[in-house]
Amino acid sequence: MILHNHLDINNLGHLTIGGIDAVDLAKEYGTPAYILDEDVIRQNCRLYHKTLTRHFGAAAFPLFASKALCFTEIYRIAAEEKIGIDCVSAGELYTARRANFPMERVYFHGNNKTDEDIKLALDFKVGCFVVDNEDELVALDNSARTRGIRQKILLRITPDVDPHTHQKIATGKIDSKFGTAIATGQALQIVKKAIDLPNIDLAGIHAHIGSQIFDESPFITAAEVMLDFIAEIHQKLSYTIRELNLGGGFAVRYIESDPVVDIEKNIAAIASSIDRICAERGIAKPKIMFEPGRSLVAAAGITLYTVGAVKEITGFKNYISVDGGMTDNPRYALYQSKYTALIANRGSQPKDYTATIAGRCCESGDLIAEDILIQKPQRGDILAVLVTGAYNYSMASNYNRIPRPPIVMLKDGKSRIVVKRESLEDLVRLDV
Ligand code: LLP
């Protein structure tokens, strides 16, 4: 096993994923290519589902934060697993609809929904809007009125909890573009406004404190702040908040030194704190929701590249250049995120070569990993980067007019294309 149970080395010394030889996959589908193990995604969906129903009742289900990985087939899988989804754009909604995803299980997020977004979401009859701000609240109420409906919403609230993660993925602080702060008193005002609007059904409140959070304590702190706020709403406005969505953010193991994350244990700890806090405050326990993105899909994915130039700069660094880079994985360039990489066709050789993995963009920051230990490669070898299932494909770009890789899905020892490789012709399709 390497990092996760479905990754291993076979007797040829090749990396395997879900029991399939990664070198064979590279031959069959070409590189760069994203590979996803469907069984891992489904196991994770089931683990969340089971854990949430155990602690929060039969009606509980996870919402997949589909910004982590969005394409038609993933929504089909989510639908089959009977989970919900969090969508943040018309594009994600449209893709979910194309997959026949049941719209009542969609939570529509976003800090700046346009009038067109609101219209599309209402046309699609999404189950719940997560309203970010007062402008949106009023616009939604108006649109709902013209349709003669009462739209279910949650209000996005900032609880001012520091999740001890990378600053760019910490979202629950007062100074944030997301949501409305409790500490400034504005959250209570927007709740009051939502209660008063005739075409809005305020079901609950939502907080997402950040991403790649390893322990349960920031979630418990956030739950406490949010439950206090629910108690305040009850006391001051005589209104019962029925639903509390605590967002996503559970971490994933990217490198050996990352701890193994025990989702069941974390959720159990959060659940027992919620029970205690509700009892102490004398409030009824609201329906509790979570919105995991990364922890449902990250570990399921690897990216395969072909090694090109291997450059040793005397007295400085060794560079291994691959046929992808920041266009298919911008996470090192953006957050200095750490990854595990190996030479897939030399998996049983020692990792004794220190190198920086570079992409092929005209940009020195186009790196996937810096100064990591890896097997010494040769041009033509297959380099695998592990745990790329989340925020890689969904954040990919066409910088330098580089086409995006395909997604190959693995299930029961078989592989299939679920997103085709972008062609050069695709790149010019919208040009006039
Ligand atoms: N719910 C909301 C409202 C969110 O904003 C997010 C992530 C999630 C759920 C899911 O969080 P997760 O379970 O995936 O941590 N591009 C960054 C991550 C940005 C996350 C944005 N929001 C990265 O590559 O690390």
Side-chain angles (χ1 to χ4, degrees):
M1 173 189 119
I2 313 170
L3 290 177
H4 297 277
N5 285 333
H6 61 296
L7 301 171
D8 217 335
I9 304 290
N10 65 14
N11 51 16
L12 298 172
H14 293 180
L15 171 69
T16 59
I17 169 163
I20 302 181
D21 189 315
V23 180
D24 289 345
L25 289 169
K27 266 195 212 122
E28 184 171 353
Y29 296 100
T31 60
Y34 300 111
I35 314 292
L36 280 176
D37 187 332
E38 183 174 334
D39 295 325
V40 172
I41 297 174
R42 288 186 186 269
Q43 278 158 22
N44 288 336
C45 291
R46 286 169 201 179
L47 178 72
Y48 266 106
H49 216 153
K50 183 185 83 180
T51 310
L52 293 180
T53 51
R54 176 180 309 148
H55 295 289
F56 302 115
F61 56 85
L63 301 168
F64 170 49
S66 59
K67 70 205 81 183
L69 182 63
C70 173
F71 56 96
T72 306
E73 186 81 347
I74 199 87
Y75 290 124
R76 293 193 190 113
I77 293 170
E80 279 176 19
E81 293 298 329
K82 300 199 166 27
I83 65 173
I85 53 171
D86 143 7
C87 290
V88 294
S89 67
E92 288 182 359
L93 289 176
Y94 189 83
T95 312
R97 165 102 158 183
R98 181 169 187 265
N100 286 324
F101 191 87
M103 286 290 146
E104 69 276 7
R105 276 193 269 137
V106 175
Y107 280 60
F108 185 34
H109 272 272
N111 68 304
N112 188 22
K113 301 179 187 77
T114 64
D115 292 345
E116 290 75 29
D117 293 340
I118 292 173
K119 180 175 179 305
L120 185 87
L122 290 174
D123 284 348
F124 284 1
K125 298 191 169 53
V126 303
C128 185
F129 278 63
V130 183
V131 172
D132 182 274
N133 54 69
E134 203 166 317
D135 283 339
E136 180 192 334
L137 184 64
V138 173
L140 179 60
D141 180 59
N142 286 334
S143 301
R145 185 169 317 118
T146 59
R147 289 162 194 255
I149 58 163
R150 224 169 144 242
Q151 178 61 47
K152 175 185 167 184
I153 71 154
L154 305 183
L155 282 171
R156 178 142 182 188
I157 302 296
T158 40
D160 194 24
V161 171
D162 181 359
H164 310 295
T165 187
H166 193 286
Q167 202 199 323
K168 285 188 189 154
I169 53 176
T171 49
K173 294 189 278 180
I174 299 179
D175 182 2
S176 164
K177 72 167 184 162
F178 300 105
T180 310
I182 298 175
T184 61
Q186 288 163 300
L188 193 65
Q189 283 168 23
I190 196 172
V191 166
K192 188 168 181 324
K193 175 124 197 174
I195 295 169
D196 290 342
L197 289 173
N199 295 81
I200 294 290
D201 168 22
L202 176 65
I205 55 177
H206 172 285
H208 172 76
I209 53 174
S211 213
Q212 189 59 359
I213 303 169
F214 277 98
D215 72 308
E216 70 280 5
S217 62
F219 290 99
I220 294 175
T221 313
E224 179 148 26
V225 173
M226 297 295 275
L227 290 166
D228 277 341
F229 185 49
I230 289 173
E232 186 185 354
I233 294 168
H234 194 71
Q235 194 207 350
K236 294 193 175 148
L237 306 175
S238 304
Y239 190 85
T240 303
I241 292 291
R242 314 190 296 272
E243 195 167 318
L244 170 60
N245 181 325
L246 289 170
F250 293 103
V252 164
R253 189 166 190 237
Y254 284 97
I255 53 174
E256 290 289 343
S257 58
D258 283 341
V260 174
V261 188
D262 188 335
I263 297 289
E264 277 177 288
K265 197 170 133 271
N266 285 348
I267 291 182
I270 298 168
S272 73
S273 297
I274 288 176
D275 286 344
R276 174 185 52 78
I277 298 163
C278 287
E280 280 171 13
R281 309 298 191 273
I283 51 171
K285 185 160 98 174
K287 177 178 177 186
I288 304 288
M289 311 280 285
F290 285 94
E291 268 165 6
R294 186 189 316 269
S295 52
L296 280 176
V297 294
I302 65 171
T303 308
L304 298 177
Y305 303 98
T306 300
V307 172
V310 180
K311 186 182 287 184
E312 301 189 346
I313 309 177
T314 313
F316 291 88
K317 272 187 178 156
N318 303 325
Y319 280 94
I320 301 173
S321 289
V322 295
D323 54 355
M326 66 185 288
T327 47
D328 58 79
N329 181 359
R331 298 192 68 256
Y332 186 78
L334 277 172
Y335 324 112
Q336 296 75 52
S337 304
K338 290 197 164 58
Y339 279 99
T340 301
L342 72 154
I343 303 301
N345 52 309
R346 300 178 192 276
S348 43
Q349 293 177 18
K351 282 184 159 186
D352 54 7
Y353 187 66
T354 303
T356 289
I357 317 297
R360 54 177 176 160
C361 287
C362 296
E363 176 105 14
S364 2
D366 173 20
L367 305 175
I368 300 275
E370 245 176 317
D371 292 326
I372 58 162
L373 277 170
I374 191 161
Q375 297 85 357
K376 185 161 188 195
Q378 275 174 15
R379 187 179 178 86
D381 280 353
I382 302 301
L383 186 144
V385 177
L386 309 184
V387 194
T388 57
Y391 303 111
N392 275 228
Y393 173 71
S394 64
M395 293 176 77
S397 76
N398 291 126
Y399 182 43
N400 290 173
R401 285 248 144 160
I402 293 175
R404 279 170 295 188
I407 302 181
V408 177
M409 190 78 99
L410 312 180
K411 186 164 178 14
D412 302 330
K414 294 202 183 77
S415 60
R416 68 187 194 280
I417 290 270
V418 288
V419 175
K420 293 179 200 157
R421 182 182 299 286
E422 223 167 14
S423 67
L424 297 177
E425 196 50 40
D426 289 331
L427 292 175
V428 295
R429 200 167 55 83
L430 302 177
D431 293 7
V432 287

